[in-house]
């Protein structure tokens, strides 16, 4: 049990550059999972429609807690966004999305789907020099993450910048993180953080 340690290796205001560098790091992963974890804060109808096209049939939720004024019960967003017209959908904004999605769908369309909200993509796999390299499934800890409009692996505070993280063992592995960063012509840009 435990969490990976996430090392920031790229910080830029260019979303396409952050994504490109994350994909370059993903190319190093062995046994990469065929699904990615996608998180997005969605403030516009266009953003919701774009994510719904990438992840058809998967659920969205309200960004902010909503309760029934009479009972105090928590409301979950359980509507099909594709069945709502733009006006009806706009009444429910902002929404969030956080689910596993087929990797090829996310990789094919995420840059056009991004808005000004925070978003994150997590690719899970296994680094080549992992001590369990003979195992043919992704490691619980190894992977790459890009956080759009954020500088924390746990999606805490909105920023202008986009950050790429490499995730390693729960004990951390600074030499491996430095080696991975050097592969893309970068370096470790700060302390390790709590990962996934």
């Amino acid at each position: 049990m435990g969490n990976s340690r996430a090392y920031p290796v790229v910080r830029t205001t260019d979303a396409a550059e952050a994504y490109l560098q994350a994909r370059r790091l993903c190319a190093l992963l062995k046994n990469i999972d065929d699904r990615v974890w996608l998180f997005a804060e969605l403030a516009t109808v266009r953003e919701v429609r774009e994510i719904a096209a990438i992840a058809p049939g998967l659920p969205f939720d309200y960004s902010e807690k909503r309760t029934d004024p009479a009972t105090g019960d928590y409301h979950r967003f359980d509507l099909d966004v594709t069945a709502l017209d733009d006006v009806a959908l706009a009444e429910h904004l902002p929404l969030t999305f956080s689910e596993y999605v087929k990797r090829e769908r996310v990789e094919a369309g995420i840059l056009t789907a991004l808005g000004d909200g925070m978003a994150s993509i997590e690719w899970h796999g296994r680094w080549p020099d992992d001590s369990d390299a003979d195992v043919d499934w992704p490691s619980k800890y190894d992977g790459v993450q890009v956080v759009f409009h954020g500088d924390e692996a746990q999606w805490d505070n909105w920023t202008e910048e986009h950050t790429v993280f490499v995730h390693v063992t729960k004990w951390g592995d600074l030499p491996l993180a430095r080696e991975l960063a050097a592969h893309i012509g970068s370096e470790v840009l700060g302390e390790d953080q709590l990962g996934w």
Side-chain angles (χ1 to χ4, degrees), residues 43-45 49 66 84-95:
T44 69
V45 168
R49 299 258 185 250
R66 295 190 185 187
L84 298 173
D85 65 29
D86 289 356
V87 173
L89 181 55
E91 292 175 7
H92 295 282
L93 297 176
L95 295 174

Side-chain angles (χ1 to χ4, degrees), residues 1-189:
M1 295 300 237
N3 293 83
S4 66
R5 300 307 298 175
Y7 292 89
V9 296
V10 172
R11 227 176 243 120
T12 177
T13 57
D14 184 340
E17 176 64 16
Y19 184 71
L20 173 68
Q21 297 305 333
R23 296 291 296 127
R24 289 182 64 204
L25 288 164
C26 286
L28 300 175
L29 287 168
K30 295 174 73 171
N31 309 84
I32 190 167
D33 198 341
D34 65 350
R35 297 180 311 150
V36 298
W37 183 260
L38 175 61
F39 165 80
E41 295 176 334
L42 310 163
T44 69
V45 168
R46 183 202 66 81
E47 293 166 12
V48 173
R49 299 258 185 250
E50 293 281 347
I51 294 296
I54 290 172
L58 293 176
F60 291 76
D61 203 0
Y62 291 114
S63 291
E64 300 155 358
K65 182 179 173 183
R66 295 190 185 187
T67 55
D68 183 302
T71 66
D73 292 341
Y74 175 69
H75 284 296
R76 292 193 53 84
F77 181 82
D78 58 1
L79 302 172
D80 177 357
V81 296
T82 62
L84 298 173
D85 65 29
D86 289 356
V87 173
L89 181 55
E91 292 175 7
H92 295 282
L93 297 176
L95 295 174
T96 59
F97 179 88
S98 56
E99 292 288 332
Y100 280 103
V101 180
K102 289 195 176 288
R103 189 176 80 217
E104 66 273 6
R105 293 189 69 91
V106 173
E107 291 172 353
I110 192 61
L111 286 178
T112 59
L114 291 176
D116 290 330
M118 191 176 292
S120 175
I121 307 169
E122 300 174 2
W123 292 266
H124 296 253
R126 183 173 295 282
W127 297 119
D129 60 349
D130 190 302
S131 62
D132 291 329
D134 293 333
V135 177
D136 64 353
W137 60 80
S139 167
K140 175 178 174 177
Y141 303 108
D142 294 353
V144 177
Q145 176 186 24
V146 59
V147 178
F148 298 100
H149 293 295
D151 60 4
E152 296 186 30
Q154 295 287 324
W155 327 315
D156 194 19
N157 296 314
W158 188 94
T159 70
E160 290 284 340
E161 295 181 315
H162 316 291
T163 308
V164 178
F165 296 90
V166 293
H167 288 254
V168 298
T169 72
K170 65 182 176 181
W171 300 282
D173 188 339
L174 184 57
L176 174 59
R178 286 180 174 147
E179 181 182 322
L180 295 167
H183 178 78
I184 59 169
S186 189
E187 59 188 25
V188 173
L189 302 175

